[in-house]
Amino acid sequence: MMRFVKSGLGVAAAAVALSFAGGVSAQTKELVFGLQCDRTGPTANVGVNLCPGYHDYIALVNSKGGVEGFKIKVIEVDNEYKVPPAMEAHERFKKEGAVIEGVFGTPQTAALNKKLEEDKLLGTSPGFGTAGAADGKRFPYTFPIAASYWSQAGAALEFAKEKLGGSLKGKKIAYLYYDNPAGKEPLPILEDVQKAEGFELRTFAVPAPGLEMGAQVLDITGRFKPDFVIMHLFGKAPSVAIKELKGKGYPLSKVVSFVWGSAEADIIAAGGMGVAEGYSGIQFAGVGKDFQVLKDIAAMYKAAGKPVPKEMDSTVYYNRGVLIAAVHTEAVRNAIKAKGGAAPTSEDVKKGMESIKGFTLGGLVPPMEITPADHEGGGWCQVWTVKGGKLVRSKDWFQGYRSVIQKQLAADASKS
Amino acid sequence: MFHREAGVFKTTYAADMALYPLPIAKRTVIILAILFGVILPLILPEYHLSILNLMFIAIVGALGLNILVGYTGQISLGHGAFMSVGAYTAANLAVRLDLPFWLTLPAGGLMAAAIGVLVGIPSLRIKGLYLAIATLAGQLIIEWTINHVPAISGGAQASIQVARPTVFGYSLSTQAHLYFFLLFFAVLAIIVTLNLMRSRIGRAFVAVRDQDIAAEIIGIDIFRYKLLAFAISSFYAGVCGVLYTYYFGIANYEQFQLIVSIDYLAMIIIGGLGSVLGTIFGAVFVTVLPLLLRLVLENVGSLFFSESELANVISGTRLAVFGGLIIVFLIVEPEGLNRLWRNIRSYFRVWPFSY
């Protein structure tokens, strides 16, 4: 009886699948991208500007005829920065036949790492997840595709060195960080460089939710009196830190923030661009509106008779959304080309992602090279500084202390 | 319609306490067993099984919290932290000593129970809001400890990767495999809770909840039963944490922060305090309703909004409607979905003769 039911169901399922497949091929060629987002949770300040950037870039690609003749359909799921909805989102993308998935959030990336590998569906986690995921051998289906916290630590130190006259010897550097795993992650890099360069490093942890750091900042400005401050904070915490440092009279020109504290919104929340003169932040995507792709998106909206979306003004996060969409599209483009124009599987897209090289989108995307071994693409960063009321680029794409990071990656790989 | 009993004919205590008071209950259970054990896993695609899987895990955790809050009347805001205790205990045992899940799972539960008793000690002296704050402190202390003790957390990442559970040398990796794995523990948790509440311990819990001084006077050892409630509740939470760990393949304390404790409290309050069926309703409601709302909004919303606007509209509206529905359900029936269900059932029980 059971076998009969099962085989009957199997036949029915096959029939449904066949009719479905037939229906799809008869219509236009379409590929599905899955995007997790957080528009309502604790990191909503990022999601509400980043995800529209993603959608707009895909809409632009579709308006120009799609990628190699394939239209792209984006399915977005708001995971509210919770883990169970992230698993549900992943299963939904899988059901809809997604060829690539954008994961949102560090705990979500951690929870999905294994599932992505089992389902052979590649997921990207730019600015999230662990630095170790850069190692493509250990995490074959997880692609950071942007500078990890380790690379950002290297970049911050490189930037500090440049600002302090080319040497860190005998200098004092303060590291102000959010007291969670992401905040603690860069510590080994900071310590390694400290040994090599011979500066004094002191760390200052800010407990969640990071809205109260008077004691830490007083400790920094009153006691330690560092030559440079590197900060790594999330959510509303960066703006609080800017306000506190400014209030205690510490020069913001000697502060550099990691990528989640370097957006326009953080600076505006701290009192506006005028107040934060000299404040620098690390970026993994280009900042500002001076990119052809953004002009094309604006033109697309104007052509449709619609106002240009206000999210575009928050260029730091919006451009990151564009970067993620562009890298996704490029990976799929590589995959379609490699298959001679046929619809790619997720496996093909993985190979396409691993052959991304020299794709810069007019400077919005770093000159990264993603390889089967390096899913981070080299860990490129830019530094943008508040000057005269707006963000100005003060350091073009660079890799800070790359050898230290590679050594750390190798050590991490040998541990597990 | 469903029943035709014309009075109370029970003549023994055993009959009164039976798990199946009516023959139809037995038939319903058999039908449900066939539905969940055979039919659903055969016909449902992986996506729907994954939702059921999340539901099963939530049921185990919510049952534990309901034993403490609903049956014993002690409030706890530390449920999420107890889950992380179970998760990290199991993960450490699985990775360092290579133990199988049937050892790590009870070990995680027992460790959580031990910690739960510690956090529950203030309940001997304080009640209500004061106890809520004391358990909140427990939640924060546990979070901090895991974050700062590498021996527990396995390093700066505070996450430990765990291999899939294996049964008879067979690795459970797909959603369908995990479905049976999680279904087993959800059913086990339901059966154990139902029976626990019919036992001396369960009746003692209820007595403590209703009036603890009176309970003490009739000979119930308050000290023992309050701590026992914390231990049992935390055991469930620990097992729930272990299930999450095996389901995601990783133990990560950021999955078990304060918001999770509040989510589980919401489940049991919506479902109905002090009822097993209500707990199940609550867990299903909180897991599935946001998904249903999204499905409806995606289909209806595309008529009114462009694709790029729609995403924002869905996220915002979904939260608002979800919150609104919770309020509506609690106004319609303050005792939760379980009471609502009982009202419906008792209406049909005498239908069409409503007197």
Side-chain angles (χ1 to χ4, degrees), chain A residues 49 154 226 313 376:
Chain A
N49 291 316
D313 294 334
E376 187 188 359

Side-chain angles (χ1 to χ4, degrees), chain A residues 113-125:
Chain A
N113 265 335
K114 177 165 275 173
K115 203 72 197 144
L116 290 167
E117 192 178 336
E118 281 169 359
D119 294 335
K120 301 204 182 305
L121 175 60
L122 85 149
T124 60
S125 58

Side-chain angles (χ1 to χ4, degrees), chain B residues 43-57:
Chain B
I43 62 167
L44 284 186
E46 269 211 303
Y47 170 64
H48 295 101
L49 289 181
S50 79
I51 297 172
L52 284 173
N53 286 346
L54 290 172
M55 246 157 54
F56 291 151
I57 303 177

